[in-house]
Structure formats: structure tokens, C-alpha cells
Amino acid sequence: MAIPQDYLMFHYLPNEDNLIQATHEDFERCHLDSPIKVYISGYTKIILDKVGHYYFLCGYHCSQEQKLEIIVNPSPSPSPFPTTLLTTALPPLSMPPTSQSNRC
């Protein structure tokens, strides 16, 4: 499960592949005429900054199913448990009396 601020790292050969961020419709049809963004460097980091669906495909190999859908869910809710520790006062420790007869 991806959450906001997770990221994806793509490594590909720039002369043989590219990375296209697409709409759902373009992703389903491998339609390449109106990409959201095109990456060609061979090394691409995508930060998933919003909740929702992200669609990526290769412009050269989409028809061979070289594509990826990522769903970003909201961050998990904080724990319902308190974040501070509750402490109970304990009585002070009492030390056993020392014997005067064992003195050197």
C-alpha cells in the first residue's frame, strides 16, 4: 500500500524506453498523445504526493503491457492509544537495615 510521500524509482534505458505518466483513459488504451508528463532520463524518481491513482506506461512497450498503476491511500490514522505513558506512583524502596556487627 502506498501512502502520500512514498516514492517510486524507475530505471530504464533512455534510448530504448521512456516513462509516461498518463490519465486512466490513456493508460487503458495506451494512448500517448496527451501525457501528463514524459520522462526520458533513464532514472526517474516520482514522489506520490496526493491520494489517488497514478498511471505510468512505457511509450515504446505499452502494447506489451509494460505499464503500472499505483493507488495511494490516505496515511494511516494515528494510534488510538495515548502517546504519553501513564505512571503510577510507587512507594519508595526501603533498604534492609545494615548490621553493625559485620563492620571491619
Side-chain angles (χ1 to χ4, degrees):
M1 167 176 78
I3 60 172
Q5 300 312 309
D6 281 351
Y7 62 90
L8 305 172
M9 299 294 294
F10 292 92
H11 298 265
Y12 48 95
L13 297 171
N15 296 331
E16 298 177 22
D17 293 302
N18 61 13
L19 178 65
I20 296 175
Q21 185 173 354
T23 64
H24 178 257
E25 183 177 315
D26 290 346
F27 174 83
E28 289 295 325
R29 298 181 321 167
C30 287
H31 188 259
L32 308 174
D33 293 337
S34 54
I36 293 172
K37 190 149 189 177
V38 177
Y39 304 92
I40 59 171
S41 70
Y43 180 81
T44 303
K45 179 179 180 179
I46 307 286
I47 298 174
L48 305 170
D49 58 353
K50 297 181 286 192
V51 171
H53 292 252
Y54 289 77
Y55 304 96
F56 300 98
L57 52 91
C58 174
Y60 298 105
H61 303 104
C62 184
S63 62
Q64 298 166 349
E65 296 298 318
Q66 194 170 354
K67 51 189 187 174
L68 174 69
E69 175 182 5
I70 299 291
I71 301 170
V72 178
N73 294 307
S75 296
S77 300
S79 172
F81 300 104
T83 56
T84 56
L85 294 175
L86 300 176
T87 58
T88 304
L90 298 174
L93 293 175
S94 58
M95 299 300 287
T98 57
S99 168
Q100 296 294 329
S101 62
N102 291 340
R103 298 185 92 177
C104 296

